[in-house]
Amino acid sequence: MTERLLLASIHDVGPKFEREVDVLAARLERLLGGPRFAMLVVPDHWGEAPLSASPAYARRLRDWADAGVEMFVHGWCHRDAAPAGFAARHMTAGEGEFAALDRAEALKRMTRARAVVEDATGRPAAGFIAPAWLYSDGTRAALADAGFALAEDHFRVWNPDNGAALTRGPVITWASRSRWRRLSSRFVAGAARTALGGQRVIRVAVHPGDTREPSILNSIDATIGRFARSHRPGRYAELAGHGNDLATSLATPPSLATPRSQ
């Protein structure tokens, strides 16, 4: 793959943030010209919203997956009950679930989460992305055991089987938990619109909390709008060389309304 790609994703997808995900999905469809993005699914966010107990939402995920949205496993519950290290405690509000797990526990949670996500979507998961992009050594080792095709952290996408980097470069994302985080993330996104223009693969990630801040939504619009003019909205699977058939079928996708519960 030599052309420039824009990879967009919605994090923390699940019944807990149903309304917020609807808003983000509709926005990305408009900006990208269709369902050309990924969803990162949490099977039981904070232990409060089990996907397995929400068949209506599972049907919605299947509708999105059928339309071409890539579905990633995004941890099990997203929350780290005992945050380890500065990043987990202060940068993610204790949501770095896989930041300190040993190999056996990480594999157990990955396997359990994958089963729930694949049962809901009716197709193999596209890969695994740890909450807050934080991985312990045990988690990285467990990825190869779990057999995921792709994994992502803040600075690269790689093949867990052999460790090969498929693309490098920072994810453009936003933070909404405090005023200074909102200001700094908007500043960084603005700088990235200029600094990263020559990068072959651009990754942009949005979160449910972004929907509560009009200034962040405006920044998302400006950032994705800028890169959509120079990079083709694509799929993570293309990085591994096995997504081109579906990418071609999505070149002129039908209009997709946000799926609704049956």
Side-chain angles (χ1 to χ4, degrees):
M1 181 196 66
T2 58
E3 68 177 319
R4 294 180 174 184
L5 280 183
L6 171 59
L7 303 178
S9 60
I10 302 175
H11 285 225
D12 306 345
V13 173
K16 184 176 179 67
F17 295 115
E18 181 173 359
R19 184 195 66 80
E20 292 90 342
V21 170
D22 282 353
V23 170
L24 293 171
R27 205 171 198 96
L28 292 191
E29 286 177 25
R30 174 176 58 79
L31 291 166
L32 299 171
R36 300 166 175 171
F37 51 87
M39 286 183 164
L40 278 57
V41 183
V42 182
D44 189 6
H45 208 129
W46 301 348
E48 299 172 355
L51 177 58
S52 59
S54 181
Y57 201 80
R59 286 195 298 271
R60 302 186 68 194
L61 291 180
R62 185 166 298 211
D63 288 343
W64 271 312
D66 289 346
V69 174
E70 288 181 294
M71 295 290 174
F72 281 82
V73 177
H74 192 41
W76 172 255
C77 66
H78 208 287
R79 183 174 292 281
D80 185 352
F86 177 86
R89 288 197 308 271
H90 300 288
M91 300 304 291
T92 71
E95 294 194 344
E97 180 187 2
F98 281 74
L101 297 182
D102 62 30
R103 185 171 186 166
E105 180 61 23
L107 180 59
K108 177 182 175 182
R109 296 193 193 193
M110 287 178 190
T111 302
R112 185 183 179 195
R114 183 176 195 165
V116 172
V117 172
E118 293 184 346
D119 181 63
T121 64
R123 63 187 63 220
F128 178 86
I129 300 176
W133 294 287
L134 294 175
Y135 297 78
S136 65
D137 290 342
T139 296
R140 293 181 185 276
L143 278 168
D145 300 334
F148 286 106
L150 296 171
E152 176 189 75
D153 64 20
H154 211 291
F155 295 101
R156 65 174 181 145
V157 179
W158 76 95
N159 180 337
D161 185 52
N162 57 24
L166 303 175
T167 190
R168 296 184 183 274
V171 179
I172 303 170
T173 191
W174 291 262
S176 60
R177 283 193 293 117
S178 66
R179 182 173 180 274
W180 75 265
R181 284 184 172 89
R182 293 191 292 272
L183 289 171
S184 62
S185 62
R186 281 158 37 209
F187 174 81
V188 170
R193 293 196 288 271
T194 299
L196 300 183
Q199 190 165 291
R200 184 173 63 88
V201 178
I202 299 293
R203 292 179 291 146
V204 178
V206 298
H207 293 78
D210 297 340
T211 63
R212 297 188 287 271
E213 297 295 333
S215 62
I216 288 181
L217 291 175
N218 290 338
S219 181
I220 290 170
D221 288 353
T223 301
I224 294 180
R226 181 264 178 264
F227 288 116
R229 293 192 295 272
S230 59
H231 293 64
R232 176 175 62 80
R235 296 168 55 81
Y236 278 82
E238 294 179 72
L239 299 177
H242 53 76
N244 294 320
D245 54 342
L246 188 49
T248 299
S249 73
L250 290 177
T252 55
S255 176
L256 177 69
T258 302
R260 295 294 174 192
S261 301
Q262 298 293 318

